[in-house]
Amino acid sequence: MESEALTGTSKVSLNVEYMPIDDVEKLERYCPGGYCPTTIGERLNNRYHVVHKLGVGSYSTVWLARDQEAGKYVSIKIAIASSEVAGSQESSILHRLLVADSEAGTHPGRPLISPILDEFTLSSPNGIHRCFVTVPGMMNLAEAKDASYIRLFQLPVARAIVAQLVQAVAFLHSRGIVHADLHAGNVLIRLPGAIDALLPEQLYKRFGQPRYEPVVRLDNRPLQDNIPSHIVVPIWLGKESENISLTEAQIILTDFGESFAPGNTMRYYSNTPDVLIPPEVYFEPQETLSFPADIWTLACTIWTVLGQSPLFEGFNPSVDWVLKEHVDTLGKLPEQWWLKWDSRNRWFNEDGSRHHGAYRRPWAQRFEDSVQKPRQESNMPEVGQEEKLALFAMLKAMLDFQPKERPTAREVMECEWMRTWALPELLKIRENQI
């Protein structure tokens, strides 16, 4: 595959190909404007000793490091060199969120946003990289489910996670910020503080020695200095979703690279995963996105936490497929949107019903397939009838097709399901911390 360097607005073709390696970053992105070559054992900013790799993304690598001054483990996100503007924006968002004042300090969602403990830059052959030091996570929710055969959280754990997620989003919105990229991959389970007592050698003994894979160019030419000679496979500090205890179910909301303040930023697009994009993006492209877009993706994420599979499904889906999933699940689109959707006749009659004989999976069926039956088959408690009615009322309101009709995050915090089922589980966690 031909790699392109990300240098400002220009793209430079590099024509360098490498032997593929599973479970690591795309090697072709070690190029001008791309990843920072980083190795275990490095000392960053004269303070942080790199111990292992935590993970990778399209715009950064994330490393576990030992803060030599504080005697604690931290997470260091090293951005690609071309993301200077995006990195600066994320830093600005986080500082705005965590500024000290009486209103922010008392909000229950504030502790769920990981503070930036330190910021610095690194220079590499690929450019200048912004680095953010934060609290490390054990794994994200998506990874916990991927590690599991049954892909389910215990019901009290799921409730506690959702309660915190709603509080975190309500806090963001109270500070005038839209997250704009809510999904299970951006919600971390906190790494227990007891791990700070482990020296790196003890950490390796418990979780395994770092695994290195050699980097080989397919043309057999020598490596340039903008890519490491060996790539580190990320460490696994987590556990299967069903094995997470209630006391461990403490989250951190992360990744504010897409976040924005609707009060001073006009946003007409969404970079969330395709199946999570709210319908107004397609039907009202002239309208700027705002807080209701987060409410839609929050509802989808809540479903993912409670269930085995996502609410809306599709592998690399087209817009038409996503809209088909919306109508299959929630019913006919508002009339003005329905008439704009040229592909509706591929699946539906004009009244919103499916063509004769076509298979449809409405809301109730999806809940049985994703939440109830898998829990029953795994000998886990199901969601009771009274709780189900309250949960449906909350989620369906959040998934109203009309953005203005969706509840605010504050209203979601105060709904019956949160008060009666979710918050009591979260209270148990916090009582155990006293």
Side-chain angles (χ1 to χ4, degrees):
M1 182 179 294
E2 183 176 284
S3 175
E4 293 178 328
L6 304 169
T7 52
T9 58
S10 64
K11 294 184 178 181
V12 182
S13 180
L14 298 180
N15 294 313
V16 177
E17 295 181 323
Y18 300 92
M19 187 74 70
I21 303 173
D22 293 335
D23 303 322
V24 301
E25 59 268 38
K26 191 174 181 180
L27 301 181
E28 285 77 8
R29 290 185 69 102
Y30 281 99
C31 62
Y35 291 130
C36 177
T38 307
T39 58
I40 290 175
E42 279 192 67
R43 189 179 177 90
L44 305 180
N45 204 35
N46 294 316
R47 176 172 178 175
Y48 305 104
H49 176 247
V50 178
V51 173
H52 216 305
K53 182 190 287 179
L54 287 173
V56 297
S58 298
Y59 300 100
S60 65
T61 54
V62 184
W63 298 83
L64 182 68
R66 184 80 174 175
D67 182 344
Q68 302 292 67
E69 293 184 12
K72 295 183 177 181
Y73 287 100
V74 295
S75 171
I76 302 183
K77 179 178 181 180
I78 305 179
I80 60 173
S82 64
S83 65
E84 175 71 19
V85 174
S88 177
Q89 175 179 309
E90 182 170 8
S91 174
S92 175
I93 291 287
L94 283 168
H95 284 301
R96 173 170 172 170
L97 286 173
L98 300 172
V99 65
D101 63 38
S102 58
E103 180 182 353
T106 59
H107 197 290
R110 188 181 191 276
L112 306 174
I113 311 299
S114 179
I116 295 179
L117 304 175
D118 194 7
E119 294 179 65
F120 57 92
T121 59
L122 290 176
S123 178
S124 87
N126 294 327
I128 304 297
H129 308 265
R130 291 183 65 92
C131 303
F132 302 97
V133 181
T134 61
V135 176
M138 185 192 304
M139 75 233 140
N140 65 49
L141 300 185
E143 289 169 336
K145 295 187 70 168
D146 287 344
S148 167
Y149 177 75
I150 61 174
R151 299 180 61 81
L152 289 169
F153 295 97
Q154 299 289 342
L155 194 52
V157 169
R159 292 178 185 135
I161 289 172
V162 171
Q164 293 169 87
L165 186 56
V166 171
Q167 289 180 338
V169 173
F171 173 65
L172 260 63
H173 290 191
S174 74
R175 308 297 290 176
I177 300 296
V178 174
H179 186 279
D181 197 19
L182 288 170
H183 58 79
N186 283 338
V187 183
L188 299 181
I189 299 290
R190 288 180 181 270
L191 192 63
I195 201 168
D196 289 329
L198 300 179
L199 295 174
E201 296 75 18
Q202 295 169 312
L203 183 87
Y204 297 149
K205 187 174 182 179
R206 178 177 295 187
F207 296 102
Q209 291 288 329
R211 181 160 69 90
Y212 300 88
E213 295 290 342
V215 176
V216 179
R217 286 178 57 144
L218 291 181
D219 59 9
N220 291 319
R221 296 178 63 183
L223 297 176
Q224 296 180 319
D225 60 359
N226 64 356
I227 186 169
S229 63
H230 290 74
I231 290 292
V232 181
V233 177
I235 191 173
W236 174 245
L237 299 172
K239 56 175 64 176
E240 297 87 349
S241 53
E242 69 272 18
N243 292 329
I244 297 170
S245 68
L246 184 59
T247 55
E248 291 173 323
Q250 301 177 54
I251 71 163
I252 309 168
L253 182 59
T254 65
D255 202 340
F256 296 87
E258 295 289 337
S259 300
F260 67 100
N264 55 36
T265 301
M266 308 293 280
R267 178 71 62 84
Y268 299 95
Y269 62 88
S270 174
N271 283 334
T272 61
D274 293 337
V275 292
L276 302 183
I277 294 176
E280 60 265 28
V281 171
Y282 306 123
F283 292 107
E284 297 180 353
Q286 75 286 353
E287 297 291 333
T288 182
L289 293 184
S290 191
F291 305 107
D294 262 1
I295 299 300
W296 178 279
T297 52
L298 174 60
C300 295
T301 305
I302 290 172
W303 181 287
T304 299
V305 173
L306 291 167
Q308 189 178 68
S309 55
L311 177 58
F312 308 121
E313 299 187 80
F315 179 74
N316 194 24
S318 65
V319 171
D320 287 328
W321 180 267
V322 173
L323 294 176
K324 186 274 295 182
E325 284 285 284
H326 290 173
V327 177
D328 249 354
T329 307
L330 302 171
K332 187 179 177 181
L333 295 165
E335 193 66 21
Q336 68 273 23
W337 291 1
W338 183 253
L339 297 176
K340 285 182 181 179
W341 185 27
D342 294 335
S343 296
R344 63 188 184 278
N345 293 327
R346 289 173 58 187
W347 296 284
F348 302 100
N349 301 312
E350 280 306 305
D351 63 356
S353 63
R354 275 289 209 139
H355 294 323
H356 180 69
Y359 178 64
R360 182 174 185 176
R361 292 179 61 232
W363 176 278
Q365 183 64 53
R366 290 174 189 243
F367 190 79
E368 288 298 313
D369 293 343
S370 179
V371 180
Q372 301 291 62
K373 289 181 181 178
R375 291 187 175 278
Q376 185 180 49
E377 292 167 356
S378 302
N379 295 315
M380 289 181 172
E382 299 175 43
V383 177
Q385 183 63 23
E386 189 176 352
E387 179 180 2
K388 183 168 74 170
L389 292 175
L391 178 64
F392 279 17
M394 180 184 81
L395 291 178
K396 286 187 175 181
M398 297 171 72
L399 292 165
D400 196 297
F401 283 130
Q402 299 285 9
K404 293 180 181 178
E405 298 301 319
R406 295 172 201 154
T408 65
R410 182 182 181 87
E411 290 169 338
V412 175
M413 273 181 60
E414 296 170 351
C415 74
E416 180 187 1
W417 183 81
M418 283 285 290
R419 289 186 286 104
T420 306
W421 285 276
L423 289 173
E425 300 291 2
L426 179 57
L427 183 60
K428 293 176 186 177
I429 298 177
R430 293 179 174 168
E431 287 175 342
N432 287 332
Q433 293 176 323
I434 297 175

